[in-house]
Amino acid sequence: MDIFYSNNINDNIIELSASESHHCMKVMRKKRGDLVIVLDGNGCRYIATIIEVDKKNILLEIKNKDKIPQNTMKLHLIISPTKSHDRIDWLIEKATEIGVTKISFLGCEHSERRKINLDRLKKKAISALKQCQNLWLPEINNIQSFEQFITSTNHNEGKYIAYVNADRNLHLLTASKEFPGHLILIGPEGDFTGDEVDAAINHGFKPVSLGLNTLRTETAGLVACTLLNS
């Protein structure tokens, strides 16, 4: 069965958005009476029947519902956006597949981009959700300044900052411990400044390494998420 996304669910009825309805009708050629799968991004997978089709939207009736609990280990990736839109898109897709809980963007002194298209990134996450059939959609947050973010973090979480250090920080796998959640800071291509690193450490972030090689921003983000999710 073909897979669609909607979080507009009332009682036993699902309404697809305009874009999902267009994809369902015009691309997938679905019609009244067809069975499809709908994911809501909050852990639920529905088998539903199309009961109403018009030019702008589709209504479905739920026939079956499965609920999958979210991983108790919360994972929050905080990363400086890359200059290339495509590289940000790629990271969002892969982080969604891995099962990252939250993705936030960080404005650093060396950041190459100061604005992001949040709607575009949320659509990329939904597309990845449908492709991999992960039932939990990550929360995606707009750019926040470095100082604003590090001063507002929860103390009851594992907090790490990954950066290039000639003295070799402790590897993330060794540094990470059991917490209700993990936060990992990934800097821009020019890395964090010394002042930013010092400020993060002063606010409880543990300096960590992601290995021997110097990684591009989006690669570092993916590696960190994979290590913390293992």
Side-chain angles (χ1 to χ4, degrees), residues 95-110:
T96 301
E97 292 175 27
I98 289 171
V100 172
T101 312
K102 188 185 299 187
I103 304 165
S104 299
F105 289 95
L106 199 62
C108 303
E109 186 172 332
H110 294 158

Side-chain angles (χ1 to χ4, degrees), residues 14-199:
I14 301 173
E15 181 175 353
L16 297 186
S17 67
S19 60
E20 286 289 285
S21 294
H22 178 270
H23 183 70
C24 184
M25 286 186 289
K26 302 299 183 181
V27 179
M28 306 309 296
R29 303 293 183 183
K30 296 298 179 183
K31 59 186 184 301
R32 186 181 287 109
D34 286 346
L35 281 173
V36 299
I37 295 171
V38 179
L39 308 179
D40 68 358
N42 290 309
C44 291
R45 179 181 183 270
Y46 304 91
I47 305 296
T49 304
I50 297 174
I51 58 173
E52 186 175 319
V53 179
D54 63 29
K55 293 181 179 180
K56 292 186 178 180
N57 71 330
I58 287 179
L59 298 181
L60 308 99
E61 183 179 21
I62 297 170
K63 297 299 181 184
N64 187 57
K65 173 184 174 181
D66 293 318
K67 175 77 173 182
I68 303 298
Q70 192 172 25
N71 191 336
T72 55
M73 182 62 72
K74 309 299 183 187
L75 177 52
H76 187 179
L77 171 65
I78 308 101
I79 190 166
S80 179
T82 62
K83 186 176 182 180
S84 166
H85 285 298
D86 290 342
R87 288 162 62 188
I88 302 175
D89 292 349
W90 178 85
L91 176 62
I92 291 292
E93 290 171 355
K94 300 309 172 188
T96 301
E97 292 175 27
I98 289 171
V100 172
T101 312
K102 188 185 299 187
I103 304 165
S104 299
F105 289 95
L106 199 62
C108 303
E109 186 172 332
H110 294 158
S111 293
E112 298 177 286
R113 178 175 293 281
R114 301 295 173 179
K115 294 182 180 179
I116 58 171
N117 187 330
L118 203 57
D119 288 339
R120 170 192 171 101
L121 296 181
K122 289 180 178 179
K123 288 177 182 177
K124 291 293 180 181
I126 289 171
S127 177
L129 184 88
K130 293 190 294 183
Q131 288 177 3
C132 68
Q133 295 194 50
N134 185 353
L135 300 188
W136 289 93
L137 191 68
E139 176 187 334
I140 303 176
N141 299 311
N142 216 329
I143 296 178
Q144 192 174 16
S145 75
F146 185 89
E147 182 179 2
Q148 285 177 319
F149 188 85
I150 64 168
T151 56
S152 64
T153 54
N154 191 329
H155 292 288
N156 191 31
E157 295 173 306
K159 304 192 296 185
Y160 317 99
I161 177 169
Y163 65 97
V164 178
N165 182 358
D167 296 327
R168 295 296 176 196
N169 292 327
L170 197 63
H171 194 278
L172 179 59
L173 270 181
T174 305
S176 59
K177 298 179 181 179
E178 289 298 322
F179 286 94
H182 291 301
L183 289 81
I184 179 73
L185 298 179
I186 303 294
E189 294 297 338
D191 211 345
F192 295 111
T193 65
D195 287 344
E196 288 170 338
V197 171
D198 290 342

